[in-house]
Amino acid sequence: MSGEELNKIKGNYIEERMKEADHGVVTVLVHMGTCGISAGATKIFSALQQEIDRLSLNNIRLKTTGCAGLCSQEPMITVEVPGQPAVRYGTLNAKKVIEIFYSHVLGGHVRSEHAISTGLEKPQKRVIGA
């Protein structure tokens, strides 16, 4: 794939996300790197999907993402509510994730006892020849 093709995919993704944010769509990312999967991220994803389906919600996007580099905190999710900093939650199980779902995703109240960070990381600048 060429750089031009990748930039087009990136542009389309950003445009889609901005439209969703304009419509108040909340995104929940389940970290599904190898460490996340082995720690139970698949069960976390299933619990969230079942609740979204049960409530017939169409303003919640449940997505998977890769490793966040915090293996000791797996399984993790990141909740992105439009207009608010993203919140990453860690060391989860199905019970905790449902609490977070109702409190934060649906109710807008961060569950600080399970939160491990807020905001999204910024890309690091590469240091060449250091």
Side-chain angles (χ1 to χ4, degrees):
M1 204 174 272
S2 71
E4 186 177 307
E5 291 169 317
L6 291 172
N7 282 331
K8 185 175 181 177
I9 291 169
K10 178 182 175 184
N12 290 341
Y13 175 78
I14 290 170
E15 185 178 320
E16 177 187 328
R17 294 298 305 268
M18 290 179 76
K19 285 179 185 175
E20 288 179 344
D22 288 345
H23 289 92
V25 175
V26 176
T27 301
V28 180
L29 302 168
V30 180
H31 296 269
M32 298 276 276
T34 306
C35 53
I37 292 168
S38 67
T42 305
K43 290 177 183 176
I44 298 300
F45 186 92
S46 293
L48 288 166
Q49 187 65 65
Q50 287 174 8
E51 210 59 19
I52 291 168
D53 291 346
R54 187 178 75 76
L55 298 172
S56 300
L57 299 171
N58 58 10
N59 64 334
I60 310 293
R61 296 290 177 262
L62 181 61
K63 298 182 178 187
T64 62
T65 189
C67 179
L70 299 168
C71 300
S72 66
Q73 297 296 312
E74 291 287 2
M76 294 187 295
I77 64 169
T78 300
V79 176
E80 297 175 350
V81 176
Q84 298 178 11
V87 177
R88 181 162 298 138
Y89 293 97
T91 318
L92 300 175
N93 57 38
K95 182 180 179 211
K96 289 179 187 177
V97 84
I98 295 303
E99 290 172 7
I100 293 164
F101 180 77
Y102 279 95
S103 180
H104 188 180
V105 176
L106 297 182
H109 305 286
V110 174
R111 294 298 298 255
S112 58
E113 69 274 22
H114 304 307
I116 56 175
S117 68
T118 59
L120 296 175
E121 295 83 14
K122 294 183 181 170
Q124 300 292 317
K125 289 186 178 180
R126 235 175 238 238
V127 179
I128 299 175

